[in-house]
Amino acid sequence: MDNNFGIKDAVTYDVITASSDTVISDIAGIMTKNDISSVVIEDEKVEGIVTTNNIISKVVSKNISPQDISAGMVMEKYVGINSDASLNEASSVMIKNNCKVLLVFEEEEFKGILTLTDIVRVSPELIEIFVEQKNIDDKNFHDDANYSNDYDENLDEGVCENCGVYGQLDERDGQFLCSECIDDDLDS
């Protein structure tokens, strides 16, 4: 697979940040207001990242009040990549580190954020790398006696043919669409 795109073609440079002492309720508000799923935590330098998964697994699931816990207490270490890397390299780093977000640096200066969605938007063929890894992971789960499959087997994962966003798809009128595009179609 020949891919000439560098991550500079897909990076979001206008990144929303917060300090490590920002309470999680404020972080959740920032995420909701800006329709994002992660906030970079930066004091004097980049400290980490808070994702919706962090909030769910470390706050909500433990019944902790989001006003009583700070970003610094739930953030995870970030995975960084150099701004000169290719999208192929970024995809490999995401798979190796089991993450969907990379922080992009030029030398040691924080420049932006790169998500799985950004990669697929710019270079949809790279989704094959993630699907291949998912198939390997699924095989490992299926080989595990404790594995159970609770999701809807009729849904496919991929890039919506209408809006180009990666996610769960359903077939409508011969097209594979995300739930948002299906809802928009039903509303019109």
Side-chain angles (χ1 to χ4, degrees):
M1 174 183 332
D2 185 26
N3 183 333
N4 295 324
F5 290 111
I7 62 175
K8 290 180 180 179
D9 297 310
V11 169
T12 299
Y13 292 98
D14 188 20
V15 178
I16 308 286
T17 63
S19 64
S20 60
D21 61 355
T22 305
V23 293
I24 292 302
S25 58
D26 290 345
I27 296 287
I30 291 168
M31 289 177 171
T32 302
K33 177 182 175 191
N34 294 285
D35 194 26
I36 56 176
S37 60
S38 59
V39 174
V40 174
I41 304 306
E42 187 173 34
D43 291 325
E44 298 294 315
K45 62 183 178 77
V46 175
E47 302 290 337
I49 189 167
V50 174
T51 66
T52 53
N53 286 343
N54 295 125
I55 294 172
I56 292 167
S57 66
K58 296 179 180 181
V59 181
V60 176
S61 69
K62 294 183 173 26
N63 204 26
I64 298 172
S65 171
Q67 292 87 10
D68 296 337
I69 191 162
S70 70
M73 299 166 89
V74 300
M75 70 181 178
E76 60 188 41
K77 292 181 181 178
Y78 64 87
V79 178
I81 192 164
N82 190 291
S83 62
D84 292 332
S86 71
L87 289 178
N88 276 329
E89 291 169 317
S91 300
S92 296
V93 169
M94 284 181 175
I95 289 168
K96 180 181 175 188
N97 291 283
N98 193 30
C99 67
K100 296 177 185 172
V101 177
L102 298 175
L103 300 191
V104 179
F105 291 85
E106 196 166 287
E107 296 181 17
E108 294 194 20
E109 185 181 349
F110 175 58
K111 290 295 186 179
I113 192 167
L114 180 71
T115 66
L116 172 59
T117 303
D118 295 330
I119 291 174
V120 173
R121 179 179 38 81
V122 171
S123 189
E125 68 275 5
L126 286 177
I127 196 63
E128 294 170 17
I129 293 172
F130 294 100
V131 170
E132 182 178 313
Q133 183 62 42
K134 182 182 180 316
N135 289 339
I136 291 168
D137 292 345
D138 284 351
K139 182 189 178 322
N140 291 339
F141 279 128
H142 288 295
D143 292 343
D144 183 347
N146 296 320
Y147 173 76
S148 71
N149 184 352
D150 293 332
Y151 64 88
D152 185 348
E153 288 282 347
N154 296 320
L155 291 178
D156 293 315
E157 228 174 344
V159 178
C160 175
E161 292 180 37
N162 186 45
C163 68
V165 172
Y166 176 80
Q168 293 293 323
L169 302 176
D170 199 5
E171 187 176 0
R172 287 287 193 268
D173 300 323
Q175 285 190 307
F176 287 95
L177 304 173
C178 67
S179 59
E180 189 171 318
C181 288
I182 289 170
D183 290 345
D184 288 348
D185 188 42
L186 293 174
D187 291 341
S188 56

